[in-house]
Amino acid sequence: MTDRILRLISGIIDNDTRYRKDSKVLPVLRMLVSILAIILCACSSNAIFVITVLAVELMHLAFLPTHSMTRVLKRLPLPVIFTMIIMLPAVFLGNPRTMLTVTMKVLVSILILAIMNEDLSWKEITGSFSQLHLPDVFTMTLDMTVRFLTILSRLCQTIHEAYILRAVSVHRQDKSRMQAAGGILGTVFLKSSRMSEETTEAMECRCFNGTYRNFTRHKLSVYDILYACIIPLMIVFFIIT
């Protein structure tokens, strides 16, 4: 489970490292539409609106590249199965529709967030926070936490692989492996302390004053206007249904 979490965090940063084009739609507008869709799906009292949003997202998913589609589909089963297990008592209490409704809403929410993560890079997501007038401390803390977790997880994996290649014993219950695990964690802890000090000194040398700036400029285009029309259409459709 820990390995899967670290891979998920690494995948967020890897969106910036692989070649990709900038989003044609304003990132902050893309985030607002996604958040609004999730909120409306959660507040919906019937399945018509949720199924409609699910159909639109599946259509969007079909136009993604194969590798992006695979990453999105891999993130769906675990939260959906977990939700079904949590809502399983509703079936025995005579409310099976409740389990299906909640599971479908979770599926749509995860699908929206996964597709948005494929459409937007991590720098576009963090850059949108300033346009949403979120505190700079929140943006900086979130950005640095994710990036440092990625660096430290890769360091931990590298040290672990190096130990396995040099280990003589093949028994999993060997005490030396438990001692090695403690040594790896200690090395990672010392590395994180040194990195935090170096980061603080680098920020002081660059006269960082706490302002998290976004240097990406996006010109208003036809795609932005068309995408902005989705917001009133979605609200009207929610009220009608």
Side-chain angles (χ1 to χ4, degrees):
M1 180 63 70
T2 304
D3 184 59
R4 296 190 63 179
I5 295 175
L6 293 177
R7 288 182 181 178
L8 178 61
I9 296 174
S10 299
I12 297 175
I13 300 300
D14 286 339
N15 285 343
D16 290 347
T17 58
R18 65 175 183 266
Y19 176 78
R20 61 185 300 169
K21 296 181 180 179
D22 294 334
S23 176
K24 295 182 180 180
V25 182
L26 187 65
V28 63
L29 183 61
R30 180 75 173 83
M31 291 184 60
L32 287 175
V33 173
S34 300
I35 295 173
L36 179 62
I38 294 175
I39 294 175
L40 293 181
C41 286
C43 297
S44 179
S45 58
N46 55 51
I48 299 177
F49 182 83
V50 180
I51 293 177
T52 303
V53 175
L54 178 60
V56 173
E57 292 299 325
L58 290 177
M59 188 183 304
H60 186 182
L61 179 64
F63 286 96
L64 292 179
T66 306
H67 55 86
S68 299
M69 188 185 304
T70 304
R71 280 194 298 268
V72 171
L73 294 177
K74 285 182 179 180
R75 296 169 185 171
L76 297 180
L78 184 60
V80 172
I81 294 175
F82 181 76
T83 304
M84 293 180 65
I85 295 175
I86 294 297
M87 299 301 299
L88 192 59
V91 179
F92 300 102
L93 295 177
N95 297 314
R97 185 177 300 178
T98 303
M99 185 189 72
L100 295 176
T101 302
V102 175
T103 304
M104 188 180 301
K105 290 181 179 181
V106 172
L107 173 63
V108 173
S109 301
I110 299 298
L111 184 61
I112 292 174
L113 293 177
I115 293 178
M116 184 185 68
N117 183 45
E118 293 297 327
D119 290 340
L120 301 178
S121 62
W122 179 247
K123 65 177 182 179
E124 289 176 333
I125 294 177
T126 54
S128 302
F129 291 157
S130 60
Q131 299 179 7
L132 293 174
H133 301 288
L134 294 178
D136 294 332
V137 176
F138 170 79
T139 305
M140 184 186 66
T141 304
L142 179 63
D143 189 18
M144 294 184 64
T145 300
V146 172
R147 294 185 183 275
F148 272 87
L149 282 176
T150 303
I151 296 173
L152 295 177
S153 64
R154 290 173 178 169
L155 174 64
C156 184
Q157 184 178 3
T158 302
I159 298 176
H160 181 63
E161 291 177 354
Y163 170 76
I164 292 177
L165 293 175
R166 291 166 174 79
V168 178
S169 177
V170 296
H171 300 287
R172 295 184 176 180
Q173 302 298 331
D174 193 0
K175 293 182 179 180
S176 61
R177 293 207 169 192
M178 298 298 296
Q179 296 176 357
I184 292 174
L185 294 177
T187 303
V188 173
F189 175 76
L190 294 177
K191 178 67 175 179
S192 63
S193 300
R194 186 164 59 252
M195 288 176 59
S196 63
E197 295 176 359
E198 293 175 354
T199 303
T200 302
E201 294 174 357
M203 295 169 68
E204 291 177 353
C205 291
R206 289 166 176 78
C207 301
F208 181 72
N209 58 358
T211 303
Y212 200 89
R213 299 179 181 179
N214 180 22
F215 296 97
T216 304
R217 296 293 179 264
H218 181 91
K219 296 182 180 180
L220 187 66
S221 62
V222 180
Y223 296 100
D224 298 331
I225 299 175
L226 294 177
Y227 209 85
C229 295
I230 298 178
I231 296 178
L233 292 177
M234 191 184 303
I235 296 175
V236 171
F237 182 71
F238 173 79
I239 295 174
I240 293 176
T241 55

